[in-house]
Amino acid sequence: MQVFAPHEPNLKKIKRRQAVRFGVPVLVFSLLMGLLVAAVYYAQQDERDENQAKLIADALWARQNIQFQVGGLINSLEALTNDPVLYPSSRMAASLNQLGRSSGELVAVFRGPELSPLVNIEEAFDEYDLEAVRQLISGAAIQRMESGLDGLVGPFLFRGRNYVVNVSVGQRGNAVTASLIDLDLMLERELPWWFAQDNQVELLDASGATLSRLIKASPGAGVYMHTTSLELGGLQFQLRVNSIQEGPRLFNYGITGALAFLLLLLLLSFVMLWRDSRRRLEIEARLEEEKLFRQSMQDSMAVGLRVWDLEGVIRYVNPAFCNMVGYRPDELIGVPQPLPYWPRKSTEEYKRLVADVISGNAPPEGFETVYQHKNGKLIDVLIVEAPLKDVRGSHTGWMSSVIDITDRKRSESLIAEQREKLQSASRFALVGEVASNIAHELNQPLATMVSYAQAGMNLSQRGGNVETYAQLFEKLRDQAQRAGRVVGSVQNLVRKRRPTRENVRVSDLIDSIRFMVNSTAMLHQVRLHFDIGTPNFDLYIDRIMVEQALVNLVKNASEAFTASQRIRNVWIKTRLLDHSFEFSVRDDGPGLSLNNAEKMFEALVSTKPDGLGLGLSLCRSVAESHGGRLKAEAVPTGGTCFTMDLPMAIKESMDGEQSVGAN
């Protein structure tokens, strides 16, 4: 589907103009950003290299300190073992206890080839644990003794802690000591507190498995790390130092941070200027297209558009409105009242109408009025007024949509005229249908009148009295009035007349209907059943129209039976409801033959081969003229029931203080 919209601006051209305008500033900004990023990167690298070099120096110092302290401990143990006087004496244990308290990592010493416990420094183990430790280290220690070599053996894992054993073999073969060293205590005692606060230290074996870990402040950050080899008493270890210090931050330097902040502001300014410039260029490109498009759209509309200001002066009209009234825009815009398209004799009325529009009292669904074309022709228009607001939402005037409905009004008038002609034709059609019935009914009063006249002639020959003649003349008058009513009903039926309502007794109405449908019922062998609930109630109706409608319904019901039906019944029933009076005509015929029951009420729609399709349409018009309705329903046991309720028949009767009469 094609969509009509303003042309899109040339975005490629706009982008090129923007690029030329902002090319140099963007290039300078890009270079500054590149220099800043490079400066920050190299500053971070320098800081990282400096911190890593410091960590390596600290790690080497820690290794050297551990080697020095542990090496001193090993030398002291060897000296005590080689002392021929001290070794066998009781002072050996005291010297070892003193050495353990000063070193810290020495926790127990065993002596002799049997590894008898000599000292348990500060009761590091109970009796059972000390024996378990002795058995754990005996194999490796004895093997080292037999080789005659000093040094460390291990490590040994006991109750979650790792230990090494220093085996010292004296110059005499029977002088042997096995000293148990706690690796956790070794890291804790041999490294100063300030080193442990800044670094996480781990002691690893040759395969890289962790033997001991020292964490004082917090775990290492994993940014600055260094691992170095550590040799103690012939055993190879690794010492890993992991600094808790994190990597260099981006804005550690005040100048760098300030420069970055300024560049960020500059970038934001460039982005805002770029967007503003592009938006301005696009708006400038769209503005003319939008104006031309709106003008074209308004000029091509078939509906007239008119704008009032708050003072009642026209500020805009489109070509459709100008064509409608025959005036140019300059003859309408800004012109004071009275406006040239107002009919000359109705100026004051149109001024009040415009005042109602300006005050906001115009009906929202619109209103109809008449304008006068420049050539003098009157045109019917439908006007819908809507408030006109500016971009701030302020009420600035009224927008009028004006539609020429002259042709529609003419069509409606023709339709109404045709409908009236249709109803008149229906009346004439009914005359032919009831003519035979009227002729039959007229025969009876005329024959009676002849009989009464013959009786009068016989009485005159025999010399009858005055009272007898008076009775005969009264009966002749009644029969003549009855014949007159029959003829009058036919005249009212066929002539075009305005509805005239009157008070009609229900029993009188039913008697009239019974009189007019008897011959039709006899012709079609139909039995009529009357169920009159309130015969003495007075209705306020147009008698001729209601009689005509009910006769049509009874006649249709009588003609609805098929030839095969032998039993034919039609029920006519009246019922007084709370707010309406209801007539119903029901038959036991074949039932509804149209799929849509509403179709049968349309004019010129009939199920009979020779029918005109006017009867039911007329019946519904009668019901609607009394404020009611006519409906058709299928009877479950077979047949059709037509129900006509007349609310105005009872409502206006009650308003006129009519009541149910007494028998």
Side-chain angles (χ1 to χ4, degrees), residues 84-97 111 118-119:
V85 177
L86 186 62
Y87 178 80
S89 67
S90 59
R91 290 184 301 156
M92 180 69 171
S95 299
L96 289 172
N97 274 315
R111 182 171 63 178
L118 180 59
V119 294

Side-chain angles (χ1 to χ4, degrees), residues 334-356:
V335 175
Q337 299 179 9
L339 296 174
Y341 53 82
W342 289 354
R344 301 293 183 267
K345 298 180 180 180
S346 305
T347 300
E348 295 301 323
E349 179 183 351
Y350 279 83
K351 285 183 178 180
R352 289 193 298 271
L353 185 61
V354 173
D356 289 340

Side-chain angles (χ1 to χ4, degrees), residues 91-254:
R91 290 184 301 156
M92 180 69 171
S95 299
L96 289 172
N97 274 315
Q98 183 178 1
L99 181 61
R101 292 188 185 94
S102 61
S103 298
E105 61 268 22
L106 183 63
V107 294
V109 180
F110 301 89
R111 182 171 63 178
E114 296 82 8
L115 297 181
S116 300
L118 180 59
V119 294
N120 185 9
I121 301 173
E122 295 184 353
E123 302 298 328
F125 302 100
D126 58 19
E127 180 180 354
Y128 298 102
D129 287 345
L130 189 63
E131 177 59 24
V133 170
R134 188 190 70 81
Q135 294 179 2
L136 178 65
I137 66 174
S138 60
I142 292 174
Q143 185 178 1
R144 177 57 72 100
M145 293 176 190
E146 291 175 352
S147 64
L149 298 175
D150 296 336
L152 299 178
V153 294
F156 303 98
L157 179 64
F158 183 73
R159 296 192 182 279
R161 298 175 72 91
N162 285 285
Y163 301 89
V164 292
V165 176
N166 178 60
V167 178
S168 298
V169 180
Q171 294 178 354
R172 303 181 313 277
N174 57 350
V176 178
T177 58
S179 304
L180 190 64
I181 299 174
D182 189 332
L183 296 180
D184 289 336
L185 292 177
M186 180 187 71
L187 292 180
E188 184 177 351
R189 296 295 179 88
E190 303 304 336
L191 293 177
W193 65 268
W194 54 266
F195 187 86
Q197 289 289 330
D198 295 335
N199 303 283
Q200 172 185 317
V201 183
E202 292 179 294
L203 185 65
L204 313 176
D205 61 12
S207 64
T210 301
L211 300 176
S212 179
R213 181 181 289 112
L214 177 63
I215 303 176
K216 286 291 186 180
S218 60
V223 178
Y224 302 107
M225 298 177 62
H226 183 70
T227 302
T228 183
S229 60
L230 175 64
E231 190 274 329
L232 297 174
L235 284 181
Q236 295 295 326
F237 297 93
Q238 297 183 60
L239 186 67
R240 178 185 295 165
V241 180
N242 186 357
S243 175
I244 65 174
Q245 182 179 0
E246 297 180 353
R249 297 180 181 178
L250 182 61
F251 298 109
N252 278 345
Y253 306 100

